[in-house]
Amino acid sequence: MNIRLFAKAAFLIAGSLCAALQVLAPASAHAAADLSGVWIPDVKDQKRQEVTNMPPWTADALAQIQHLVAEEKAGRPFLVLSHCLPHGMPSWMLIAHNAMEVLVTPGRITMLGEGDGNRLRRIYTDGRKPPDDPDLSLHGYSIGHWEGDTLVVDTTAIVPQAYIAISEAAGIPNNGDMHIVEHIHLVEPNVMHDDLEITAPKVLTTAWKTTRIFRRYPDRHFEIAEGECEQEDLLPGKDEHGNDIYVSNPQGAYGTVHTAK
């Protein structure tokens, strides 16, 4: 009888301890949001923000942007995404019109884009620190951690040539020392917001905050497609041996957007 009473008391104590631990658990112990799947950017909202949420450009940068906007209206758009370079950060998240797939694996979140074959972004979530002497890249070095159900991403080590773009025809290089902090979270089960704070002291007077919206349509089973921007400059053809190759596509004065028909 005493053994049974002791076992019952131990069980009650264990239950009380578990309940106390749940109450004391930090917010970071919450389950991470499910970001996996194919996401479609809200292009309409991108266009709205071109006008309603302009970056705080320096005077020189603003003059350049105003010129690019005027050129686009005149039918002479500047190709921000030229020479088949990747969008890079932050332009990929800001102006991409194509779908992207998010893969969530232990210690890493990978973003795959279909706009060009070079579009690949890695966000490390394994607790690592930024490298002391990183190799600069267009997408930079991204380290993420979860704060509740929000993925907080810190990106540095971005090449100075990476554009801050408000559209595919208006943007300028960050010119160095750019730093990006993102808060990526679900506002609905299939609506994702990326809240960006971009610091670029060479071209922005203060940090620029903006939000980009992405939607997931699980019922439509979207898949990203292969996309190589160089193919826009080429046509299927044959070589002297009859092999199938690509040949140059005649271009107009302003590049692929004015392709000769």
Side-chain angles (χ1 to χ4, degrees), residues 68-84:
L68 293 172
V69 170
E71 286 291 284
E72 181 181 19
K73 290 180 178 179
R76 299 184 295 270
F78 171 73
L79 301 181
V80 171
L81 308 176
S82 63
H83 301 91
C84 284

Side-chain angles (χ1 to χ4, degrees), residues 3 9 14 34-35 54 56 62 65 94 102 108-109 132 137 143 160 170 177 211 215 222-223 238:
I3 293 175
D34 178 17
L35 304 181
M54 182 72 72
L62 178 59
I65 290 293
L94 293 176
V102 178
R108 181 183 301 182
I109 292 175
D132 293 330
S137 65
I143 294 177
D177 300 326
T211 296
R215 289 184 169 82
F222 281 125
E223 294 183 0
K238 299 281 187 179

Side-chain angles (χ1 to χ4, degrees), residues 27 58 68 85 162 183 196 219 250 261:
T58 62
L68 293 172
L85 290 172
H183 288 75
L196 300 103
D219 55 321
K261 300 296 184 182

Side-chain angles (χ1 to χ4, degrees), residues 63-261:
Q64 296 178 58
I65 290 293
Q66 290 173 335
H67 172 74
L68 293 172
V69 170
E71 286 291 284
E72 181 181 19
K73 290 180 178 179
R76 299 184 295 270
F78 171 73
L79 301 181
V80 171
L81 308 176
S82 63
H83 301 91
C84 284
L85 290 172
H87 284 68
M89 281 296 291
S91 293
W92 181 4
M93 305 306 288
L94 293 176
I95 66 168
H97 293 174
N98 297 80
M100 72 171 178
E101 183 174 12
V102 178
L103 306 177
V104 180
T105 54
R108 181 183 301 182
I109 292 175
T110 306
M111 295 181 173
L112 304 174
E114 68 179 11
D116 61 71
N118 294 321
R119 193 179 301 173
L120 167 66
R121 184 185 179 200
R122 298 180 180 91
I123 300 172
Y124 297 102
T125 57
D126 55 4
R128 69 180 64 190
K129 301 296 182 183
D132 293 330
D133 185 23
D135 293 325
L136 303 186
S137 65
L138 283 160
H139 287 109
Y141 201 93
S142 295
I143 294 177
H145 69 275
W146 290 96
E147 293 183 1
D149 56 3
T150 296
L151 177 65
V152 181
V153 185
D154 192 279
T155 302
T156 55
I158 304 169
V159 294
Q161 294 85 357
Y163 278 77
I164 300 175
I166 58 173
S167 73
E168 292 188 349
I172 58 175
N174 73 86
N175 292 333
D177 300 326
M178 181 162 62
H179 178 208
I180 303 167
V181 176
E182 297 166 272
H183 288 75
I184 301 174
H185 55 103
L186 300 180
V187 296
E188 296 178 18
N190 293 306
V191 179
M192 180 172 69
H193 281 194
D194 184 8
D195 302 327
L196 300 103
E197 182 173 346
I198 302 164
T199 303
K202 304 293 178 62
V203 295
L204 301 178
T205 58
T206 61
W208 178 41
K209 295 182 179 181
T210 184
T211 296
R212 288 300 183 268
I213 301 170
F214 299 84
R215 289 184 169 82
R216 179 170 53 187
Y217 299 92
D219 55 321
R220 300 185 190 180
H221 304 291
F222 281 125
E223 294 183 0
I224 60 172
E226 179 183 80
E228 296 286 348
C229 69
E230 183 67 20
Q231 287 179 293
E232 297 177 2
D233 298 328
L234 303 170
L235 291 172
K238 299 281 187 179
D239 67 8
E240 65 271 23
H241 305 289
N243 298 313
D244 286 294
I245 63 170
Y246 288 110
V247 297
S248 295
N249 185 7
Q251 300 295 304
Y254 305 109
T256 55
V257 291
H258 288 267
T259 303
K261 300 296 184 182

